[in-house]
Amino acid sequence: MISTIGKGRIEAFSDGVIAIIITIMVLELKVPHGTAFADLLPTVPVLLSYALSFVYVGIYWNNHHHLFQAARGVTGPIMWANLHLLFWMSLIPFVTSWIGETRDAVAPVASYGIVLLMTAIAYQILAAMLARHDGQGSRLGRAIGHDRKGWLSIVFYALGVVLSLVWPDIGLGAYVAVALFWFIPDRRVERVLSEDEA
């Protein structure tokens, strides 16, 4: 049997990394040189890419919190799976800056989608490992189930990457659609936790 490690440190470390990711993204925002509202117009694409990425980081932080709230503990492989997720998330500021400065160019939009795709895959791996560790009948196993929403998101990201190679704006539309899809909080874990407390 694999020994279980307490999850407090991994949660604290992940929260710190996610806070740094948001800080890096906001530091990439450049202040306009003028003093009129019209001077903000050239920064709109950068602000929009920041807003989209901020929403994505927020979604992952929220869902990560719920995952670990329901999980019993972690193992060494789970810690590596968590680092794998954080690695892909740490690339979000880089592609956010690139897409904001180049607007609708093919390579930045496709790269943005690839990072989102790999982040989603890494999250699915982490969630599956946590659920497997806790067992099928555990509260996390019951909450996650087959996770159709997560797998559908991966399909949309992949589709967005392919579409962005020809039509970058449509690729971006696919990424926005997934963010809207997840913007309404996923209540599965909360529901199972509240059932166990009842």
Side-chain angles (χ1 to χ4, degrees):
M1 181 177 170
I2 300 172
S3 62
T4 299
I5 306 165
K7 55 187 181 175
R9 288 191 68 194
I10 197 171
E11 290 177 283
F13 176 76
S14 300
D15 284 350
V17 171
I18 291 169
I20 291 168
I21 289 168
I22 290 173
T23 303
I24 291 169
M25 285 195 311
V26 79
L27 290 174
E28 286 293 319
L29 299 176
K30 305 296 184 229
V31 177
H33 294 295
T35 57
F37 285 117
D39 296 320
L40 284 171
L41 289 176
T43 67
V44 168
V46 176
L47 291 171
L48 290 176
S49 64
Y50 168 77
L52 179 61
S53 294
F54 186 91
V55 167
Y56 267 119
V57 172
I59 288 167
Y60 278 108
W61 175 77
N62 194 344
N63 289 329
H64 187 276
H65 169 72
H66 283 104
L67 265 187
F68 280 90
Q69 192 173 11
R72 286 189 314 216
V74 298
T75 62
I78 288 171
M79 292 173 75
W80 279 108
N82 191 68
L83 281 172
H84 179 230
L85 170 64
L86 294 175
F87 168 77
W88 288 108
M89 286 185 71
S90 72
L91 293 177
I92 291 175
F94 172 72
V95 290
T96 299
S97 179
W98 196 19
I99 204 172
E101 290 179 9
T102 56
R103 292 171 176 81
D104 59 355
V106 169
V109 175
S111 298
Y112 188 80
I114 289 167
V115 169
L116 293 178
L117 173 64
M118 295 308 297
T119 304
I121 291 170
Y123 181 84
Q124 287 296 107
I125 292 169
L126 175 63
M129 289 179 73
L130 282 165
R132 191 179 318 117
H133 175 261
D134 283 6
Q136 200 171 21
S138 68
R139 57 188 183 182
L140 186 57
R142 294 193 326 266
I144 292 175
H146 295 294
D147 196 14
R148 291 181 191 91
K149 192 174 178 181
W151 290 109
L152 186 61
S153 299
I154 288 172
V155 170
F156 263 81
Y157 288 135
L159 187 62
V161 171
V162 172
L163 288 171
S164 69
L165 297 174
V166 183
W167 303 289
D169 288 338
I170 296 176
L172 270 174
Y175 311 149
V176 171
V178 179
L180 293 173
F181 189 49
W182 282 98
F183 194 72
I184 298 167
D186 191 351
R187 303 280 185 210
R188 291 175 299 172
V189 174
E190 285 180 3
R191 200 163 31 246
V192 170
L193 288 174
S194 63
E195 285 170 5
D196 286 353
E197 288 170 5

PDB file of all heavy atoms in Angstrom, residues 26-57:
ATOM      1  N   VAL A  26      -0.203  40.512 -14.192  1.00  0.00           N
ATOM      2  CA  VAL A  26      -0.578  41.920 -13.993  1.00  0.00           C
ATOM      3  C   VAL A  26       0.623  42.832 -14.207  1.00  0.00           C
ATOM      4  O   VAL A  26       0.480  43.971 -14.671  1.00  0.00           O
ATOM      5  CB  VAL A  26      -1.247  42.132 -12.618  1.00  0.00           C
ATOM      6  CG1 VAL A  26      -0.243  42.201 -11.493  1.00  0.00           C
ATOM      7  CG2 VAL A  26      -2.142  43.364 -12.625  1.00  0.00           C
ATOM      8  N   LEU A  27       1.836  42.351 -13.899  1.00  0.00           N
ATOM      9  CA  LEU A  27       3.029  43.169 -14.121  1.00  0.00           C
ATOM     10  C   LEU A  27       3.339  43.357 -15.601  1.00  0.00           C
ATOM     11  O   LEU A  27       4.065  44.278 -15.975  1.00  0.00           O
ATOM     12  CB  LEU A  27       4.241  42.554 -13.401  1.00  0.00           C
ATOM     13  CG  LEU A  27       4.216  42.635 -11.874  1.00  0.00           C
ATOM     14  CD1 LEU A  27       5.387  41.879 -11.277  1.00  0.00           C
ATOM     15  CD2 LEU A  27       4.210  44.089 -11.407  1.00  0.00           C
ATOM     16  N   GLU A  28       2.793  42.465 -16.441  1.00  0.00           N
ATOM     17  CA  GLU A  28       2.979  42.591 -17.888  1.00  0.00           C
ATOM     18  C   GLU A  28       2.122  43.710 -18.484  1.00  0.00           C
ATOM     19  O   GLU A  28       2.348  44.136 -19.617  1.00  0.00           O
ATOM     20  CB  GLU A  28       2.641  41.267 -18.584  1.00  0.00           C
ATOM     21  CG  GLU A  28       3.688  40.184 -18.389  1.00  0.00           C
ATOM     22  CD  GLU A  28       4.997  40.519 -19.079  1.00  0.00           C
ATOM     23  OE1 GLU A  28       4.974  41.027 -20.212  1.00  0.00           O
ATOM     24  OE2 GLU A  28       6.062  40.284 -18.471  1.00  0.00           O
ATOM     25  N   LEU A  29       1.130  44.195 -17.739  1.00  0.00           N
ATOM     26  CA  LEU A  29       0.269  45.269 -18.234  1.00  0.00           C
ATOM     27  C   LEU A  29       1.039  46.583 -18.197  1.00  0.00           C
ATOM     28  O   LEU A  29       1.569  46.972 -17.157  1.00  0.00           O
ATOM     29  CB  LEU A  29      -1.003  45.379 -17.390  1.00  0.00           C
ATOM     30  CG  LEU A  29      -1.916  44.154 -17.368  1.00  0.00           C
ATOM     31  CD1 LEU A  29      -3.083  44.390 -16.420  1.00  0.00           C
ATOM     32  CD2 LEU A  29      -2.419  43.830 -18.764  1.00  0.00           C
ATOM     33  N   LYS A  30       1.108  47.254 -19.328  1.00  0.00           N
ATOM     34  CA  LYS A  30       1.841  48.522 -19.435  1.00  0.00           C
ATOM     35  C   LYS A  30       0.867  49.696 -19.359  1.00  0.00           C
ATOM     36  O   LYS A  30      -0.193  49.681 -19.987  1.00  0.00           O
ATOM     37  CB  LYS A  30       2.613  48.581 -20.760  1.00  0.00           C
ATOM     38  CG  LYS A  30       3.559  47.396 -20.977  1.00  0.00           C
ATOM     39  CD  LYS A  30       4.668  47.355 -19.950  1.00  0.00           C
ATOM     40  CE  LYS A  30       5.641  46.230 -20.267  1.00  0.00           C
ATOM     41  NZ  LYS A  30       5.940  45.401 -19.137  1.00  0.00           N
ATOM     42  N   VAL A  31       1.255  50.698 -18.608  1.00  0.00           N
ATOM     43  CA  VAL A  31       0.435  51.897 -18.462  1.00  0.00           C
ATOM     44  C   VAL A  31       0.545  52.744 -19.730  1.00  0.00           C
ATOM     45  O   VAL A  31       1.651  52.932 -20.252  1.00  0.00           O
ATOM     46  CB  VAL A  31       0.894  52.715 -17.230  1.00  0.00           C
ATOM     47  CG1 VAL A  31       0.103  53.997 -17.096  1.00  0.00           C
ATOM     48  CG2 VAL A  31       0.792  51.879 -15.974  1.00  0.00           C
ATOM     49  N   PRO A  32      -0.584  53.278 -20.245  1.00  0.00           N
ATOM     50  CA  PRO A  32      -0.510  54.147 -21.428  1.00  0.00           C
ATOM     51  C   PRO A  32       0.328  55.395 -21.134  1.00  0.00           C
ATOM     52  O   PRO A  32       0.369  55.873 -19.999  1.00  0.00           O
ATOM     53  CB  PRO A  32      -1.971  54.527 -21.696  1.00  0.00           C
ATOM     54  CG  PRO A  32      -2.784  53.556 -20.929  1.00  0.00           C
ATOM     55  CD  PRO A  32      -1.954  53.087 -19.785  1.00  0.00           C
ATOM     56  N   HIS A  33       0.975  55.933 -22.177  1.00  0.00           N
ATOM     57  CA  HIS A  33       1.813  57.119 -21.991  1.00  0.00           C
ATOM     58  C   HIS A  33       1.002  58.407 -21.961  1.00  0.00           C
ATOM     59  O   HIS A  33       1.427  59.396 -21.384  1.00  0.00           O
ATOM     60  CB  HIS A  33       2.873  57.206 -23.101  1.00  0.00           C
ATOM     61  CG  HIS A  33       3.870  56.083 -23.025  1.00  0.00           C
ATOM     62  ND1 HIS A  33       4.736  55.928 -21.972  1.00  0.00           N
ATOM     63  CD2 HIS A  33       4.109  55.052 -23.858  1.00  0.00           C
ATOM     64  CE1 HIS A  33       5.486  54.859 -22.159  1.00  0.00           C
ATOM     65  NE2 HIS A  33       5.124  54.293 -23.303  1.00  0.00           N
ATOM     66  N   GLY A  34      -0.178  58.402 -22.577  1.00  0.00           N
ATOM     67  CA  GLY A  34      -1.018  59.598 -22.598  1.00  0.00           C
ATOM     68  C   GLY A  34      -1.903  59.704 -21.372  1.00  0.00           C
ATOM     69  O   GLY A  34      -1.852  58.873 -20.464  1.00  0.00           O
ATOM     70  N   THR A  35      -2.726  60.758 -21.372  1.00  0.00           N
ATOM     71  CA  THR A  35      -3.612  60.995 -20.233  1.00  0.00           C
ATOM     72  C   THR A  35      -5.087  60.950 -20.616  1.00  0.00           C
ATOM     73  O   THR A  35      -5.950  61.148 -19.764  1.00  0.00           O
ATOM     74  CB  THR A  35      -3.311  62.376 -19.623  1.00  0.00           C
ATOM     75  OG1 THR A  35      -3.469  63.381 -20.636  1.00  0.00           O
ATOM     76  CG2 THR A  35      -1.910  62.420 -19.043  1.00  0.00           C
ATOM     77  N   ALA A  36      -5.386  60.673 -21.875  1.00  0.00           N
ATOM     78  CA  ALA A  36      -6.781  60.629 -22.328  1.00  0.00           C
ATOM     79  C   ALA A  36      -7.290  59.187 -22.344  1.00  0.00           C
ATOM     80  O   ALA A  36      -6.519  58.235 -22.423  1.00  0.00           O
ATOM     81  CB  ALA A  36      -6.888  61.233 -23.729  1.00  0.00           C
ATOM     82  N   PHE A  37      -8.617  59.040 -22.287  1.00  0.00           N
ATOM     83  CA  PHE A  37      -9.213  57.702 -22.359  1.00  0.00           C
ATOM     84  C   PHE A  37      -8.880  57.020 -23.687  1.00  0.00           C
ATOM     85  O   PHE A  37      -8.750  55.798 -23.752  1.00  0.00           O
ATOM     86  CB  PHE A  37     -10.732  57.783 -22.182  1.00  0.00           C
ATOM     87  CG  PHE A  37     -11.149  58.043 -20.761  1.00  0.00           C
ATOM     88  CD1 PHE A  37     -11.823  59.205 -20.420  1.00  0.00           C
ATOM     89  CD2 PHE A  37     -10.875  57.116 -19.757  1.00  0.00           C
ATOM     90  CE1 PHE A  37     -12.214  59.443 -19.118  1.00  0.00           C
ATOM     91  CE2 PHE A  37     -11.258  57.352 -18.446  1.00  0.00           C
ATOM     92  CZ  PHE A  37     -11.930  58.519 -18.120  1.00  0.00           C
ATOM     93  N   ALA A  38      -8.722  57.831 -24.736  1.00  0.00           N
ATOM     94  CA  ALA A  38      -8.378  57.276 -26.051  1.00  0.00           C
ATOM     95  C   ALA A  38      -7.031  56.566 -26.041  1.00  0.00           C
ATOM     96  O   ALA A  38      -6.797  55.656 -26.844  1.00  0.00           O
ATOM     97  CB  ALA A  38      -8.377  58.393 -27.097  1.00  0.00           C
ATOM     98  N   ASP A  39      -6.163  56.958 -25.119  1.00  0.00           N
ATOM     99  CA  ASP A  39      -4.844  56.316 -25.017  1.00  0.00           C
ATOM    100  C   ASP A  39      -4.941  54.876 -24.514  1.00  0.00           C
ATOM    101  O   ASP A  39      -3.978  54.111 -24.613  1.00  0.00           O
ATOM    102  CB  ASP A  39      -3.926  57.126 -24.094  1.00  0.00           C
ATOM    103  CG  ASP A  39      -3.633  58.504 -24.665  1.00  0.00           C
ATOM    104  OD1 ASP A  39      -3.423  58.602 -25.888  1.00  0.00           O
ATOM    105  OD2 ASP A  39      -3.644  59.473 -23.892  1.00  0.00           O
ATOM    106  N   LEU A  40      -6.102  54.517 -23.941  1.00  0.00           N
ATOM    107  CA  LEU A  40      -6.318  53.150 -23.475  1.00  0.00           C
ATOM    108  C   LEU A  40      -6.634  52.182 -24.618  1.00  0.00           C
ATOM    109  O   LEU A  40      -6.448  50.973 -24.468  1.00  0.00           O
ATOM    110  CB  LEU A  40      -7.473  53.099 -22.468  1.00  0.00           C
ATOM    111  CG  LEU A  40      -7.181  53.613 -21.057  1.00  0.00           C
ATOM    112  CD1 LEU A  40      -8.469  53.709 -20.263  1.00  0.00           C
ATOM    113  CD2 LEU A  40      -6.191  52.690 -20.358  1.00  0.00           C
ATOM    114  N   LEU A  41      -7.117  52.741 -25.749  1.00  0.00           N
ATOM    115  CA  LEU A  41      -7.558  51.872 -26.854  1.00  0.00           C
ATOM    116  C   LEU A  41      -6.500  50.889 -27.340  1.00  0.00           C
ATOM    117  O   LEU A  41      -6.812  49.711 -27.547  1.00  0.00           O
ATOM    118  CB  LEU A  41      -8.076  52.723 -28.014  1.00  0.00           C
ATOM    119  CG  LEU A  41      -9.420  53.423 -27.768  1.00  0.00           C
ATOM    120  CD1 LEU A  41      -9.788  54.310 -28.940  1.00  0.00           C
ATOM    121  CD2 LEU A  41     -10.511  52.404 -27.487  1.00  0.00           C
ATOM    122  N   PRO A  42      -5.240  51.303 -27.521  1.00  0.00           N
ATOM    123  CA  PRO A  42      -4.236  50.330 -27.972  1.00  0.00           C
ATOM    124  C   PRO A  42      -3.981  49.198 -26.964  1.00  0.00           C
ATOM    125  O   PRO A  42      -3.478  48.139 -27.324  1.00  0.00           O
ATOM    126  CB  PRO A  42      -2.966  51.169 -28.158  1.00  0.00           C
ATOM    127  CG  PRO A  42      -3.437  52.571 -28.291  1.00  0.00           C
ATOM    128  CD  PRO A  42      -4.675  52.660 -27.464  1.00  0.00           C
ATOM    129  N   THR A  43      -4.343  49.425 -25.690  1.00  0.00           N
ATOM    130  CA  THR A  43      -4.102  48.402 -24.668  1.00  0.00           C
ATOM    131  C   THR A  43      -5.264  47.421 -24.516  1.00  0.00           C
ATOM    132  O   THR A  43      -5.154  46.459 -23.745  1.00  0.00           O
ATOM    133  CB  THR A  43      -3.817  49.053 -23.297  1.00  0.00           C
ATOM    134  OG1 THR A  43      -5.012  49.699 -22.830  1.00  0.00           O
ATOM    135  CG2 THR A  43      -2.682  50.057 -23.377  1.00  0.00           C
ATOM    136  N   VAL A  44      -6.359  47.654 -25.229  1.00  0.00           N
ATOM    137  CA  VAL A  44      -7.551  46.799 -25.084  1.00  0.00           C
ATOM    138  C   VAL A  44      -7.250  45.318 -25.354  1.00  0.00           C
ATOM    139  O   VAL A  44      -7.649  44.453 -24.561  1.00  0.00           O
ATOM    140  CB  VAL A  44      -8.723  47.320 -25.949  1.00  0.00           C
ATOM    141  CG1 VAL A  44      -9.847  46.295 -26.039  1.00  0.00           C
ATOM    142  CG2 VAL A  44      -9.249  48.631 -25.372  1.00  0.00           C
ATOM    143  N   PRO A  45      -6.547  44.958 -26.447  1.00  0.00           N
ATOM    144  CA  PRO A  45      -6.250  43.526 -26.656  1.00  0.00           C
ATOM    145  C   PRO A  45      -5.446  42.905 -25.506  1.00  0.00           C
ATOM    146  O   PRO A  45      -5.683  41.762 -25.114  1.00  0.00           O
ATOM    147  CB  PRO A  45      -5.436  43.512 -27.954  1.00  0.00           C
ATOM    148  CG  PRO A  45      -5.816  44.766 -28.663  1.00  0.00           C
ATOM    149  CD  PRO A  45      -6.067  45.769 -27.573  1.00  0.00           C
ATOM    150  N   VAL A  46      -4.516  43.689 -24.957  1.00  0.00           N
ATOM    151  CA  VAL A  46      -3.712  43.197 -23.834  1.00  0.00           C
ATOM    152  C   VAL A  46      -4.599  42.996 -22.604  1.00  0.00           C
ATOM    153  O   VAL A  46      -4.501  41.975 -21.904  1.00  0.00           O
ATOM    154  CB  VAL A  46      -2.557  44.173 -23.512  1.00  0.00           C
ATOM    155  CG1 VAL A  46      -1.773  43.721 -22.300  1.00  0.00           C
ATOM    156  CG2 VAL A  46      -1.643  44.316 -24.720  1.00  0.00           C
ATOM    157  N   LEU A  47      -5.492  43.946 -22.342  1.00  0.00           N
ATOM    158  CA  LEU A  47      -6.392  43.842 -21.194  1.00  0.00           C
ATOM    159  C   LEU A  47      -7.355  42.669 -21.345  1.00  0.00           C
ATOM    160  O   LEU A  47      -7.646  41.959 -20.379  1.00  0.00           O
ATOM    161  CB  LEU A  47      -7.173  45.150 -21.015  1.00  0.00           C
ATOM    162  CG  LEU A  47      -6.367  46.360 -20.553  1.00  0.00           C
ATOM    163  CD1 LEU A  47      -7.199  47.629 -20.628  1.00  0.00           C
ATOM    164  CD2 LEU A  47      -5.846  46.143 -19.135  1.00  0.00           C
ATOM    165  N   LEU A  48      -7.828  42.441 -22.574  1.00  0.00           N
ATOM    166  CA  LEU A  48      -8.746  41.318 -22.814  1.00  0.00           C
ATOM    167  C   LEU A  48      -8.050  39.977 -22.636  1.00  0.00           C
ATOM    168  O   LEU A  48      -8.616  39.043 -22.053  1.00  0.00           O
ATOM    169  CB  LEU A  48      -9.359  41.418 -24.218  1.00  0.00           C
ATOM    170  CG  LEU A  48     -10.364  42.553 -24.429  1.00  0.00           C
ATOM    171  CD1 LEU A  48     -10.806  42.601 -25.886  1.00  0.00           C
ATOM    172  CD2 LEU A  48     -11.576  42.388 -23.513  1.00  0.00           C
ATOM    173  N   SER A  49      -6.817  39.875 -23.130  1.00  0.00           N
ATOM    174  CA  SER A  49      -6.081  38.612 -22.953  1.00  0.00           C
ATOM    175  C   SER A  49      -5.775  38.387 -21.473  1.00  0.00           C
ATOM    176  O   SER A  49      -5.838  37.255 -20.983  1.00  0.00           O
ATOM    177  CB  SER A  49      -4.795  38.598 -23.789  1.00  0.00           C
ATOM    178  OG  SER A  49      -3.890  39.592 -23.350  1.00  0.00           O
ATOM    179  N   TYR A  50      -5.465  39.475 -20.749  1.00  0.00           N
ATOM    180  CA  TYR A  50      -5.240  39.362 -19.308  1.00  0.00           C
ATOM    181  C   TYR A  50      -6.506  38.885 -18.600  1.00  0.00           C
ATOM    182  O   TYR A  50      -6.459  37.984 -17.750  1.00  0.00           O
ATOM    183  CB  TYR A  50      -4.793  40.709 -18.732  1.00  0.00           C
ATOM    184  CG  TYR A  50      -4.826  40.747 -17.217  1.00  0.00           C
ATOM    185  CD1 TYR A  50      -3.832  40.129 -16.471  1.00  0.00           C
ATOM    186  CD2 TYR A  50      -5.874  41.374 -16.548  1.00  0.00           C
ATOM    187  CE1 TYR A  50      -3.872  40.145 -15.079  1.00  0.00           C
ATOM    188  CE2 TYR A  50      -5.922  41.393 -15.163  1.00  0.00           C
ATOM    189  CZ  TYR A  50      -4.920  40.780 -14.432  1.00  0.00           C
ATOM    190  OH  TYR A  50      -4.967  40.779 -13.066  1.00  0.00           O
ATOM    191  N   ALA A  51      -7.653  39.491 -18.955  1.00  0.00           N
ATOM    192  CA  ALA A  51      -8.919  39.125 -18.308  1.00  0.00           C
ATOM    193  C   ALA A  51      -9.255  37.655 -18.549  1.00  0.00           C
ATOM    194  O   ALA A  51      -9.654  36.936 -17.622  1.00  0.00           O
ATOM    195  CB  ALA A  51     -10.046  40.014 -18.826  1.00  0.00           C
ATOM    196  N   LEU A  52      -9.067  37.182 -19.792  1.00  0.00           N
ATOM    197  CA  LEU A  52      -9.350  35.782 -20.104  1.00  0.00           C
ATOM    198  C   LEU A  52      -8.436  34.855 -19.306  1.00  0.00           C
ATOM    199  O   LEU A  52      -8.892  33.869 -18.709  1.00  0.00           O
ATOM    200  CB  LEU A  52      -9.188  35.530 -21.605  1.00  0.00           C
ATOM    201  CG  LEU A  52      -9.436  34.090 -22.077  1.00  0.00           C
ATOM    202  CD1 LEU A  52     -10.868  33.646 -21.770  1.00  0.00           C
ATOM    203  CD2 LEU A  52      -9.142  33.978 -23.579  1.00  0.00           C
ATOM    204  N   SER A  53      -7.152  35.179 -19.269  1.00  0.00           N
ATOM    205  CA  SER A  53      -6.202  34.344 -18.535  1.00  0.00           C
ATOM    206  C   SER A  53      -6.454  34.387 -17.034  1.00  0.00           C
ATOM    207  O   SER A  53      -6.319  33.374 -16.345  1.00  0.00           O
ATOM    208  CB  SER A  53      -4.773  34.777 -18.844  1.00  0.00           C
ATOM    209  OG  SER A  53      -4.470  34.524 -20.196  1.00  0.00           O
ATOM    210  N   PHE A  54      -6.841  35.558 -16.525  1.00  0.00           N
ATOM    211  CA  PHE A  54      -7.154  35.673 -15.103  1.00  0.00           C
ATOM    212  C   PHE A  54      -8.329  34.767 -14.755  1.00  0.00           C
ATOM    213  O   PHE A  54      -8.317  34.078 -13.730  1.00  0.00           O
ATOM    214  CB  PHE A  54      -7.482  37.127 -14.740  1.00  0.00           C
ATOM    215  CG  PHE A  54      -7.679  37.346 -13.264  1.00  0.00           C
ATOM    216  CD1 PHE A  54      -6.608  37.693 -12.459  1.00  0.00           C
ATOM    217  CD2 PHE A  54      -8.927  37.185 -12.685  1.00  0.00           C
ATOM    218  CE1 PHE A  54      -6.776  37.886 -11.096  1.00  0.00           C
ATOM    219  CE2 PHE A  54      -9.107  37.362 -11.320  1.00  0.00           C
ATOM    220  CZ  PHE A  54      -8.033  37.714 -10.519  1.00  0.00           C
ATOM    221  N   VAL A  55      -9.348  34.752 -15.625  1.00  0.00           N
ATOM    222  CA  VAL A  55     -10.497  33.874 -15.406  1.00  0.00           C
ATOM    223  C   VAL A  55     -10.049  32.412 -15.395  1.00  0.00           C
ATOM    224  O   VAL A  55     -10.453  31.631 -14.527  1.00  0.00           O
ATOM    225  CB  VAL A  55     -11.585  34.117 -16.477  1.00  0.00           C
ATOM    226  CG1 VAL A  55     -12.633  33.014 -16.473  1.00  0.00           C
ATOM    227  CG2 VAL A  55     -12.248  35.471 -16.259  1.00  0.00           C
ATOM    228  N   TYR A  56      -9.184  32.049 -16.351  1.00  0.00           N
ATOM    229  CA  TYR A  56      -8.704  30.670 -16.402  1.00  0.00           C
ATOM    230  C   TYR A  56      -7.929  30.288 -15.141  1.00  0.00           C
ATOM    231  O   TYR A  56      -8.147  29.220 -14.566  1.00  0.00           O
ATOM    232  CB  TYR A  56      -7.822  30.437 -17.636  1.00  0.00           C
ATOM    233  CG  TYR A  56      -8.606  29.929 -18.804  1.00  0.00           C
ATOM    234  CD1 TYR A  56      -8.676  30.646 -19.988  1.00  0.00           C
ATOM    235  CD2 TYR A  56      -9.285  28.720 -18.730  1.00  0.00           C
ATOM    236  CE1 TYR A  56      -9.403  30.184 -21.061  1.00  0.00           C
ATOM    237  CE2 TYR A  56     -10.015  28.249 -19.804  1.00  0.00           C
ATOM    238  CZ  TYR A  56     -10.064  28.977 -20.964  1.00  0.00           C
ATOM    239  OH  TYR A  56     -10.798  28.507 -22.013  1.00  0.00           O
ATOM    240  N   VAL A  57      -7.029  31.146 -14.703  1.00  0.00           N
ATOM    241  CA  VAL A  57      -6.256  30.859 -13.492  1.00  0.00           C
ATOM    242  C   VAL A  57      -7.196  30.751 -12.291  1.00  0.00           C
ATOM    243  O   VAL A  57      -7.049  29.856 -11.445  1.00  0.00           O
ATOM    244  CB  VAL A  57      -5.162  31.922 -13.267  1.00  0.00           C
ATOM    245  CG1 VAL A  57      -4.482  31.728 -11.914  1.00  0.00           C
ATOM    246  CG2 VAL A  57      -4.121  31.867 -14.382  1.00  0.00           C
TER     247      VAL A  57
END
